[in-house]
Amino acid sequence: MSTVPIESLLHHSHLRDNSKIYRGTRSFFIPCSLNLPSHFTSNKLLHSIRTSVGASSKHRRSVAIRASSSDTAVVETAQSDDVIFKENFPVQRIEKAQGKIYVRLKQVKEKNWELSVGSSIPGKWILHWGVSYVGDTGSEWDQPPEDMRPPGSIAIKDYAIETPLKKLSEGDSFFEVAINLNLESSVAALNFVLKDEETGAWYQHKGRDFKVPLVDDVPDNGNLIGAKKGFGAIGQLSNIPLKQDESSAEVKKKSKSSSDSTKERKGLQEFYEEMPISKRVADDNSVSVTARKCSETSKNIVSIETDLPGDVTVHWGVCKNGSKKWEIPSEPYPEDTSLFKNKALRTRLQRKDDGNGSFGLFSLDGNLEGGEDFYVPFLTSSSSLVGTEATEAAQLSKHTPKTDKEVSASGFTDEIITEIRNLAIDIHSHKNQKTNVKEVQENILQEIEKLAAEAYSIFRSTTPTFSEESILAEAEKPDIKISSGTGSGFEILCQGFNWESHKSGRWYLELQEKADELASLGFTVLWLPPPTESVSPEGYMPKDLYNLNSRYGTIDELKDTVRKFHKVGIKVLGDAVLNHRCAHFKNQNGVWNLFGGRLNWDDRAVVADDPHFQGRGNKSSGDNFHAAPNIDHSQDFVRKDIKEWLCWMMEEVGYDGWRLDFVRGFWGGYVKDYMDASKPYFAVGEYWDSLSYTYGEMDYNQDAHRQRIVDWINATSGATGAFDVTTKGILHTALQKCEYWRLSDPKGKPPGVVGWWPSRAVTFIENHDTGSTQGHWRFPEGKEMQGYAYILTHPGTPAVFFDHIFSDYHPEIAALLSLRNRQKLHCRSEVNIDKSERDVYAAIIDDKVAMKIGPGHYEPPNGSKNWSVAVEGRDYKVWETS
């Protein structure tokens, strides 16, 4: 009889691969659980697991367990026909591949040059490129001449070309594309970015497009590459005068003439430049799980086998007597097993003889059952399987299906309701007193918010009973009261674009490919870019509001995208630019202030106090945006048309809410009118102005700044939230200058909008304006994860920037998102700031999550709480209670 050491099992915490720790949001039990980490993806794991017994399971070899003299469990082979579960789970392990992008310019013939762009990392690479012609101004691209386009190139709208990179030969490790340049053309520069279609990642140069100059005096925005950055290449083409209405053909003809007449030319210089590149590469692996009932010992035998490389450590526990709480099983344990904080066990799997993966065998008592995550139930004396109609073997912990019994409102206790009523009476009674009424009322309102949050928490935590049909059905949320300013209160927002997203011409289609991943990360709301026809390709200079064909894609692609995200349980926000609109026609004075399309307004729709556009409306109710006509929202016909348009967008596209652009430009009362008409699930406004500084140093007290944002929210009657620009600004200075004391206001509360009106604060650290290729107010480099550790643990509704999700920060952001969902943190969570000193900020949220950012030391206080580290990284750490 041969013996084999038993190897380890699996619990809801994590699974180690070599030096990496993979954390996940779900696990499945056998009666312990295998937690597939956030680096891993498996479609099968996202669905219910059923147990079944059939002919295929008969007459298989099983294992029995006995204890050896060394108190280590060993396995004995035996016959058993009780195979109760067998499944193979495909997983993906994400690794970072390092390589390089190279750009080479070389002369092929006397007047012909060749520009080559390549990558040393395998992938489905696409060169997204265009050109700038002599005399062009601005950063817009144009399509190159036909003779410059390599075979296989595809035109993207009227401004770019996409060309795939290919291997030069079968044995070559480089992917490359070559573009022929003609000195007689009028091309002044070639612009490009490199795109990896497998991951959707864009690779740029110093945050901007790569630009190869081919003539003198090409503006240098820090993104030029080549031997003569910013200095001439092809004759004196930059001196050719251009008329505004000259055609491209005329430009080329004139440039050729000028080039031929020039006796002395400044020739191009050959160059070769390399830039480092890293790419997230998915390696396919699998985990095979088999569970058997041993007829000789009545024990449950679980075998785990995986081809994951390196040492694999499993974090595991068991469930007993119908309880779904994890417990430590009785000894003996497999070799290389250690106790983890008296809560679980950690066991290293045994390497296979051929070195390709690991395996483990586990012997467990027969009275064990499944847990709250994915689990495979073992049979006990009180349970049985009838054919293939087994007890449901998996519960989705993220979503709550509709129950057999309606969840009653009994969770909202009489005590809470009475207390809220008393507080409301207190507000009224303080109006006639000479005390600090504002402060008293503010404190009372905060108490009401806390009580409302407590009542809602009770409602959400009501434990329903499930039928098999309800678990298999599409997960539904309870029938709860939704506020457009907060959504459900548990929302996590993803900004689904950056400043360059329009350049592919198919952004909607690219987003659809990421819907499942964004849903699995825990996002509940997606913010899409402006959908309308626009003078600027990014969409923020709208023209015809009813034309929804944009640089991001067609109206049909937009609808499909919204449907796709709805299918995975994510709400979608439209970016509504209501402050200004670009005109179609000039008035008699030659001023652009007359509109076309379905909303063919005249100059009465334009405010009167912007001298640039000679409007005949009333004065603006806010700040003017001088790049386009500012709309006069005091006009009845304007408000009527905008309300009809918003409702049409809801009906036609399927939007669930709004991100409102530049709301500083018009009164919040008009916004309330628009929200009442369109009834959004969630809405947030962009109220962005400067914080307070003295002699270039940020002031500690930013109450005036956050008061302006709160005043705007109040003008909407709380119908929308607002981006917490105050918190972003204070985080900037606190992290950049190591002044973490700034993160507590004089009253010991968060210093941004989240400290005054948390339910209406949408916190963020970066967006398409502040970061991306614009970089108007970029978050301190290398400290982004400290920012996310703050906003993803604190109250408010956190927003995560698209560029950060699909970057090297992905696993850390995923872990924080999982923590927020797991601990049910919400927009009204309570913060107790424990430490705010020069080099460290620490807080405890809802008495169940502790966090610290900064290089200084902090540990949560000992006591009744059992703290364990949930997420940690460079200068940040987050704990949770078990």
Side-chain angles (χ1 to χ4, degrees):
M1 178 179 295
S2 61
T3 61
V4 182
I6 302 178
E7 301 304 321
S8 59
L9 267 199
L10 318 131
H11 176 38
H12 80 298
S13 180
H14 58 264
L15 186 152
R16 290 179 182 265
D17 175 7
N18 293 326
S19 60
K20 298 181 180 178
I21 298 178
Y22 300 102
R23 301 179 186 272
T25 58
R26 299 190 178 103
S27 44
F28 62 87
F29 283 69
I30 315 180
C32 315
S33 75
L34 167 62
N35 181 42
L36 291 183
S38 60
H39 284 64
F40 293 163
T41 59
S42 170
N43 290 332
K44 289 190 177 181
L45 288 181
L46 299 180
H47 297 82
S48 299
I49 304 170
R50 280 184 171 272
T51 60
S52 62
V53 178
S56 61
S57 67
K58 301 291 184 181
H59 306 301
R60 291 181 177 170
R61 299 289 290 176
S62 185
V63 289
I65 307 297
R66 63 178 174 81
S68 70
S69 58
S70 61
D71 288 333
T72 300
V74 295
V75 180
E76 301 174 351
T77 59
Q79 282 292 129
S80 173
D81 57 359
D82 290 335
V83 176
I84 59 176
F85 179 81
K86 184 176 178 65
E87 188 70 74
N88 187 70
F89 299 98
V91 296
Q92 284 189 331
R93 182 170 49 88
I94 305 300
E95 295 287 353
K96 184 190 290 186
Q98 302 286 349
K100 62 185 178 183
I101 295 175
Y102 65 86
V103 183
R104 178 178 59 238
L105 182 67
K106 67 179 181 179
Q107 188 171 11
V108 180
K109 296 180 180 179
E110 181 180 354
K111 292 186 178 181
N112 289 318
W113 291 69
E114 183 181 84
L115 180 72
S116 301
V117 179
S119 169
S120 65
I121 301 179
K124 194 174 180 181
W125 295 104
I126 299 291
L127 188 73
H128 184 85
W129 64 288
V131 299
S132 302
Y133 286 101
V134 173
D136 284 351
T137 58
S139 60
E140 286 298 298
W141 296 6
D142 287 305
Q143 287 189 343
E146 291 282 352
D147 59 0
M148 282 182 61
R149 306 178 189 183
S153 297
I154 299 173
I156 303 298
K157 301 295 178 67
D158 59 350
Y159 59 91
I161 296 292
E162 285 193 347
T163 307
L165 276 65
K166 299 179 179 179
K167 280 189 176 184
L168 297 181
S169 62
E170 188 61 34
D172 202 326
S173 60
F174 287 85
F175 291 73
E176 184 179 287
V177 62
I179 300 172
N180 292 319
L181 306 175
N182 191 328
L183 295 186
E184 296 184 351
S185 73
S186 58
V187 174
L190 190 143
N191 314 285
F192 70 88
V193 293
L194 200 59
K195 179 183 177 183
D196 178 13
E197 285 214 327
E198 291 179 345
T199 63
W202 294 79
Y203 295 88
Q204 299 171 309
H205 183 48
K206 300 178 180 178
R208 297 180 178 274
D209 305 333
F210 290 88
K211 182 184 284 281
V212 180
L214 303 177
V215 299
D216 295 345
D217 304 325
V218 172
D220 187 358
N221 295 318
N223 60 336
L224 296 185
I225 58 173
K228 288 189 173 183
K229 298 180 177 64
F231 188 68
I234 306 176
Q236 303 292 332
L237 297 188
S238 60
N239 296 325
I240 299 175
L242 292 177
K243 296 179 182 178
Q244 189 171 0
D245 57 351
E246 259 184 328
S247 69
S248 176
E250 290 169 332
V251 170
K252 292 178 185 178
K253 182 178 179 181
K254 184 174 288 188
S255 69
K256 184 179 186 304
S257 170
S258 174
S259 177
D260 290 342
S261 64
T262 303
K263 295 182 179 179
E264 294 184 4
R265 299 184 180 185
K266 298 176 182 177
L268 279 172
Q269 291 186 10
E270 295 185 342
F271 71 84
Y272 177 86
E273 287 196 19
E274 292 182 352
M275 286 134 283
I277 183 177
S278 63
K279 174 185 172 182
R280 293 167 60 234
V281 178
D283 289 335
D284 292 326
N285 298 102
S286 66
V287 176
S288 178
V289 182
T290 303
R292 295 181 173 89
K293 171 72 75 172
C294 178
S295 59
E296 295 184 9
T297 64
S298 297
K299 287 183 176 289
N300 293 308
I301 311 300
V302 178
S303 64
I304 313 288
E305 185 174 344
T306 178
D307 60 353
L308 289 168
D311 291 334
V312 178
T313 299
V314 183
H315 190 93
W316 62 286
V318 300
C319 303
K320 297 180 179 179
N321 302 322
S323 169
K324 294 180 180 178
K325 180 182 178 181
W326 286 70
E327 298 181 22
I328 298 172
S330 57
E331 296 187 72
Y333 305 139
E335 292 182 354
D336 290 331
T337 297
S338 60
L339 187 64
F340 178 75
K341 297 186 177 180
N342 291 319
K343 299 177 183 178
L345 298 173
R346 282 180 172 172
T347 305
R348 187 171 62 182
L349 294 180
Q350 187 178 51
R351 299 301 303 273
K352 295 180 182 178
D353 291 339
D354 60 5
N356 296 322
S358 308
F359 72 96
L361 293 172
F362 305 86
S363 170
L364 298 159
D365 293 337
N367 63 341
L368 301 176
E369 299 180 4
E372 290 201 352
D373 300 307
F374 289 94
Y375 70 94
V376 177
F378 287 123
L379 299 180
T380 64
S381 58
S382 60
S383 63
S384 62
L385 291 173
V386 181
T388 58
E389 296 182 3
T391 304
E392 185 58 47
Q395 297 180 9
L396 295 178
S397 58
K398 179 181 176 184
H399 300 291
T400 304
K402 197 171 182 179
T403 64
D404 294 336
K405 300 177 182 178
E406 290 295 326
V407 179
S408 71
S410 60
F412 296 91
T413 63
D414 293 338
E415 290 81 5
I416 291 178
I417 294 172
T418 302
E419 201 166 343
I420 290 176
R421 286 173 177 165
N422 291 338
L423 287 169
I425 294 171
D426 287 344
I427 291 178
H428 180 75
S429 66
H430 279 286
K431 285 184 177 180
N432 298 322
Q433 297 182 11
K434 295 183 180 180
T435 58
N436 189 341
V437 175
K438 182 178 179 180
E439 183 175 347
V440 172
Q441 290 182 358
E442 178 185 305
N443 290 334
I444 292 174
L445 286 170
Q446 288 176 354
E447 288 300 317
I448 290 176
E449 279 210 337
K450 290 178 184 177
L451 289 166
E454 182 182 347
Y456 184 60
S457 178
I458 293 172
F459 175 77
R460 280 182 64 94
S461 62
T462 303
T463 304
T465 57
F466 300 93
S467 68
E468 180 175 344
E469 290 76 18
S470 69
I471 294 174
L472 292 175
E474 181 73 23
E476 296 177 6
K477 291 185 177 179
D479 185 17
I480 59 176
K481 177 71 174 176
I482 300 297
S483 164
S484 59
T486 64
S488 69
F490 291 81
E491 310 303 341
I492 303 177
L493 175 64
C494 166
Q495 179 177 358
F497 64 99
N498 62 31
W499 193 247
E500 305 295 323
S501 296
H502 67 278
K503 288 187 174 179
S504 71
R506 55 188 302 275
W507 185 248
Y508 294 143
L509 300 179
E510 293 176 26
L511 270 180
Q512 290 180 35
E513 298 170 0
K514 299 188 180 298
D516 290 328
E517 182 174 3
L518 292 174
S520 69
L521 287 171
F523 288 106
T524 63
V525 180
L526 177 76
W527 161 20
L528 288 180
T532 63
E533 176 197 22
S534 171
V535 171
S536 65
E538 297 82 12
Y540 288 99
M541 299 285 280
K543 195 172 181 182
D544 184 353
L545 299 186
Y546 279 91
N547 181 356
L548 301 187
N549 295 309
S550 71
R551 289 286 182 88
Y552 299 101
T554 67
I555 181 173
D556 290 332
E557 291 168 349
L558 172 59
K559 291 179 183 178
D560 289 344
T561 301
V562 173
R563 282 193 289 268
K564 174 65 175 178
F565 278 92
H566 283 170
K567 188 175 180 180
V568 299
I570 294 180
K571 304 288 186 182
V572 180
L573 304 186
D575 201 326
V577 184
L578 305 180
N579 175 75
H580 52 273
R581 182 184 171 198
C582 293
H584 291 71
F585 312 106
K586 297 178 182 179
N587 67 3
Q588 66 274 16
N589 299 323
V591 176
W592 295 89
N593 62 9
L594 303 176
F595 304 92
R598 184 166 163 180
L599 302 183
N600 54 346
W601 301 332
D602 59 20
D603 53 6
R604 291 174 301 157
V606 180
V607 297
D609 52 348
D610 185 350
H612 297 87
F613 296 102
Q614 300 180 6
R616 291 193 297 122
N618 297 311
K619 288 187 176 181
S620 176
S621 57
D623 297 334
N624 280 328
F625 177 78
H626 297 297
N630 285 249
I631 300 305
D632 180 11
H633 293 266
S634 69
Q635 302 284 1
D636 290 339
F637 72 91
V638 168
R639 293 200 308 280
K640 174 179 176 293
D641 285 347
I642 289 178
K643 286 186 285 187
E644 286 181 357
W645 176 68
L646 291 172
C647 292
W648 175 80
M649 294 265 280
M650 286 277 196
E651 182 68 25
E652 184 70 17
V653 178
Y655 285 128
D656 302 290
W658 312 112
R659 181 267 183 185
L660 304 170
D661 184 64
F662 197 78
V663 296
R664 277 174 45 203
F666 53 105
W667 178 48
Y670 300 135
V671 174
K672 181 186 186 304
D673 194 17
Y674 300 145
M675 298 304 101
D676 288 345
S678 60
K679 296 179 173 57
Y681 173 87
F682 183 81
V684 56
E686 179 207 30
Y687 194 100
W688 181 7
D689 68 353
S690 296
L691 279 75
S692 177
Y693 294 82
T694 300
Y695 301 115
E697 292 291 324
M698 177 182 284
D699 295 342
Y700 165 65
N701 190 322
Q702 295 293 335
D703 286 356
H705 184 268
R706 58 175 165 173
Q707 185 66 60
R708 292 192 293 273
I709 299 175
V710 166
D711 287 346
W712 180 83
I713 300 171
N714 195 47
T716 74
S717 299
T720 80
F723 287 109
D724 193 348
V725 180
T726 316
T727 290
K728 173 177 167 64
I730 294 171
L731 278 170
H732 266 247
T733 299
L735 274 59
Q736 198 164 37
K737 295 189 174 184
C738 200
E739 296 175 348
Y740 291 84
W741 47 266
R742 291 180 176 273
L743 294 173
S744 176
D745 73 6
K747 294 182 179 180
K749 297 181 179 180
V753 178
V754 74
W756 276 2
W757 204 343
S759 66
R760 298 304 190 271
V762 177
T763 53
F764 72 108
I765 71 167
E766 207 79 288
N767 62 30
H768 62 291
D769 285 321
T770 66
S772 191
T773 54
Q774 291 203 97
H776 291 321
W777 195 23
R778 200 179 301 279
F779 203 77
E781 186 177 1
K783 301 181 185 296
E784 290 87 352
M785 285 312 306
Q786 288 189 63
Y788 281 122
Y790 183 93
I791 70 171
L792 288 173
T793 58
H794 278 54
T797 300
V800 184
F801 186 38
F802 187 87
D803 289 10
H804 291 160
I805 299 169
F806 297 99
S807 72
D808 292 342
Y809 297 135
H810 181 279
E812 294 176 83
I813 291 174
L816 287 169
L817 291 169
S818 174
L819 170 76
R820 186 175 182 90
N821 282 314
R822 184 167 65 247
Q823 291 294 348
K824 295 182 173 61
L825 302 181
H826 51 83
C827 68
R828 297 181 178 90
S829 288
E830 183 177 352
V831 178
N832 290 310
I833 297 176
D834 204 17
K835 205 171 186 179
S836 57
E837 300 175 357
R838 182 189 63 82
D839 61 351
V840 65
Y841 166 87
I844 296 176
I845 303 90
D846 282 349
D847 213 25
K848 56 188 177 183
V849 171
M851 60 80 67
K852 80 99 179 177
I853 56 176
H857 177 74
Y858 173 79
E859 291 288 333
N862 294 323
S864 59
K865 297 295 179 185
N866 216 348
W867 297 105
S868 61
V869 176
V871 190
E872 61 181 312
R874 180 182 175 187
D875 290 338
Y876 77 91
K877 201 169 186 178
V878 184
W879 298 261
E880 62 182 331
T881 56
S882 57

